[in-house]
């Protein structure tokens, strides 16, 4: 998306709002009534929430009854980690909204390493969790679908097989996978899965926790009894309307991802010729098509991001939620890559609206900021 002055390539942090989502939200703003009220106004508000629930369920291959709307994926991930597990086995490359509550909840936490290509190694799960699961103790395995920094696709199907054979629960953070990979909750074998609207062209501050029918989790928010007693509080009708509209569109939009993937490959080839010292992280692994994580050893990621911003191009260094802190990218560090790579890794993430013009603008800026004389400086 280039508006003449800016090129936005940070879709993994937040994607631009889709027109259909904006229109659905504007319409929902004028609907009076509490979705829990039985009168006509309440029923209209309820209809908005339930239509959105159907669209979100369809996007991830779940039943509408399995969708619980939340304030976003952070809340959903926190709720799953806080559900009273004795042991939690997490991949070391999970998002902080999984890692931080897992570490804080009092469960025994076992971190699974990742390969240098950014794929989580499930080799030690069996040993780690078979003890924990013995005697019926509640244990959880948490593996994300695709990493937000590198785009590397994680072995969630294998994780599901392992979880089933060990009798432990499986949580999948699918925030960066939904809309970019086919997701079918019904056959995935996960107990819970998280989604965030603003990564799909919906609004910020709304998401969903998908809970397999029959799985019992403590209420995310107590009191009020909304969302089948699983999350109390009057629903965010406007946000949910936007989420539903974005979900409906994403499901039809597979061509956009193919386009983004071709543009990403073109961008990486040009980056390697402009900056031959650059390292494309996770290049040898299967990745979602929109993400590129590029390190230029010797450079500082934050400096690259600021200088690209001054050239009119938005990219990121580390997860947006943790930026502001200068240091090594924790995901890259967990992959065992050298500090010089972890400190210089930037993320370029394309979206449904990214065009050839955006890629050209990125490359022109990259050449100035990271290429040739700049690299030697
Ligand atoms: N998980 C992953 C993998 C993410 O990329 C993000 C967003 N950075 C989140 C969770 C948190 O999502 P939200 O912004 O909806 O809280």
């Amino acid at each position: 998306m280039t508006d003449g002055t800016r090129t936005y390539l940070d879709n993994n942090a937040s994607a631009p709002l889709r027109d259909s989502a904006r229109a659905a939200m504007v319409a929902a703003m004028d609907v009076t009534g509490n979705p829990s009220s039985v009168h006509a106004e309440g029923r209209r508000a309820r209809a908005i929430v339930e239509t959105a629930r159907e669209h979100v369920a369809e996007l991830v291959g779940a039943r509408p009854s399995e969708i619980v709307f939340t304030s976003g994926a952070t809340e959903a991930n926190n709720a799953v980690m806080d559900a009273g597990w004795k042991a939690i086995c997490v991949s070391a490359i999970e998002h902080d909204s999984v890692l931080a509550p897992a570490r804080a909840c009092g469960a025994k936490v076992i971190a699974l390493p990742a390969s240098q290509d950014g794929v989580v190694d499930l080799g030690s799960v069996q040993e780690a969790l078979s003890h924990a699961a013995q005697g019926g103790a509640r244990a959880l395995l948490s593996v994300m679908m695709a990493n937000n920094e590198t785009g590397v696709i994680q072995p969630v199907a294998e994780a599901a097989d392992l979880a089933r054979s060990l009798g432990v629960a499986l949580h999948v953070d699918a925030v960066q996978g939904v809309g970019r990979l086919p997701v079918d909750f019904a056959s995935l074998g996960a107990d819970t899965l998280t989604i965030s609207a603003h990564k799909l062209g919906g609004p910020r501050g709304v998401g969903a926790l998908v809970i397999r029918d029959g799985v019992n989790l403590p209420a995310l928010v107590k009191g009020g009894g909304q969302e089948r007693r699983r999350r109390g509080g009057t629903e965010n009708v406007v946000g949910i309307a936007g989420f539903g509209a974005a979900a409906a569109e994403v499901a039809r939009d597979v061509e956009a991802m193919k386009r983004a993937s071709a543009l990403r490959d073109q961008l990486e080839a040009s980056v390697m010729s402009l900056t031959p010292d650059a390292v494309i992280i996770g290049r040898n692994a299967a990745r979602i098509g929109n993400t590129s994580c590029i390190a230029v050893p010797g450079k500082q990621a934050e400096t690259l991001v600021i200088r690209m911003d001054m050239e009119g191009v938005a990219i990121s260094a580390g997860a947006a939620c943790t930026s502001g802190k200068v240091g090594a990218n924790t995901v890259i560090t967990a992959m065992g890559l050298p500090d010089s790579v972890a400190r210089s890794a930037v993320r370029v993430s394309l979206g449904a609206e990214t065009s050839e013009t955006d890629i050209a603008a990125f490359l022109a800026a990259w050449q100035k900021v990271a290429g040739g004389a700049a690299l030697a400086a």
Side-chain angles (χ1 to χ4, degrees):
M1 179 197 52
T2 303
D3 67 3
T5 54
R6 298 287 303 170
T7 299
Y8 186 75
L9 295 172
D10 200 12
N11 287 268
N12 286 13
S14 200
L17 190 68
R18 290 172 185 266
D19 291 342
S20 59
R22 182 182 298 102
M25 288 194 288
V26 169
M29 275 179 197
D30 284 324
V31 174
T32 310
N34 186 319
S36 297
S37 300
V38 295
H39 45 59
E41 287 80 359
R43 291 199 308 274
R44 264 190 84 198
R46 167 63 50 204
I48 291 173
V49 172
E50 296 314 315
T51 303
R53 197 186 307 281
E54 279 166 23
H55 289 317
V56 171
E58 197 180 331
L59 176 64
V60 296
R63 298 194 189 113
S65 58
E66 295 174 315
I67 305 292
V68 177
F69 287 117
T70 66
S71 67
T74 298
E75 178 192 325
N77 283 337
N78 268 257
V80 175
M81 296 305 131
D82 281 337
W85 311 102
K86 282 271 179 283
I88 303 179
C89 198
V90 279
S91 84
I93 56 168
E94 294 296 299
H95 190 264
D96 202 41
S97 58
V98 168
L99 292 177
R103 288 183 188 127
C105 71
K108 178 179 179 209
V109 178
I110 306 131
L112 301 169
S115 71
Q116 295 213 336
D117 279 329
V119 184
V120 63
D121 178 0
L122 296 172
S124 49
V125 170
Q126 187 132 6
E127 195 190 333
L129 279 182
S130 50
H131 278 305
Q134 265 166 21
R138 296 180 74 234
L140 174 76
L141 172 62
S142 185
V143 179
M144 70 201 321
M145 189 165 281
N147 183 266
N148 45 299
E149 297 294 325
T150 62
V152 171
I153 298 169
Q154 303 301 320
V156 284
E158 287 90 320
D161 288 344
L162 270 168
R164 196 176 307 113
S165 70
L166 293 168
V168 304
L170 175 68
H171 174 62
V172 174
D173 175 342
V175 167
Q176 301 291 350
V178 174
R180 292 151 184 180
L181 296 169
V183 177
D184 186 41
F185 185 67
S187 61
L188 182 63
D191 294 275
T192 51
L193 178 136
T194 39
I195 327 171
S196 178
H198 70 121
K199 316 286 179 171
L200 307 169
R204 287 150 287 198
V206 55
L209 178 61
V210 189
I211 307 176
R212 190 156 52 77
D213 275 345
V215 169
N216 255 329
L217 278 190
L220 281 66
V221 178
K222 294 169 204 65
Q226 285 88 347
E227 298 294 278
R228 299 167 157 234
R229 315 201 77 78
R230 292 175 300 192
R231 185 185 188 266
T234 302
E235 297 86 343
N236 172 6
V237 178
V238 171
I240 290 170
F243 186 9
E249 200 168 279
V250 169
R252 298 191 297 263
D253 210 7
V254 279
E255 283 309 311
M257 257 309 116
K258 283 194 196 144
R259 245 184 356 255
S261 182
L263 289 172
R264 190 270 314 266
D265 293 348
Q266 190 184 319
L267 177 145
E268 289 185 346
S270 302
V271 160
M272 290 314 296
S273 60
L274 291 174
T275 44
D277 290 359
V279 180
I280 310 277
I281 295 162
R283 195 178 205 173
N284 300 320
R287 289 180 293 163
I288 47 174
N290 77 315
T291 307
S292 186
C293 186
I294 307 165
V296 191
K299 293 275 167 195
Q300 183 127 56
E302 287 75 12
T303 312
L304 288 172
V305 169
I306 292 165
R307 292 199 52 204
M308 289 296 282
D309 187 37
M310 286 161 65
E311 296 295 324
V313 181
I315 59 170
S316 83
C321 3
T322 53
S323 65
K325 288 186 220 154
V326 175
N329 181 314
T330 49
V331 169
I332 314 297
T333 304
M335 288 161 56
L337 292 171
D339 208 44
S340 60
V341 172
R343 283 184 184 282
S344 65
V346 294
R347 176 185 71 190
V348 182
S349 50
L350 286 61
E353 297 175 24
T354 304
S355 66
E356 300 231 1
T357 316
D358 293 320
I359 303 303
F362 169 86
L363 292 170
W366 184 258
Q367 179 157 32
K368 265 181 153 175
V369 167
L375 189 64

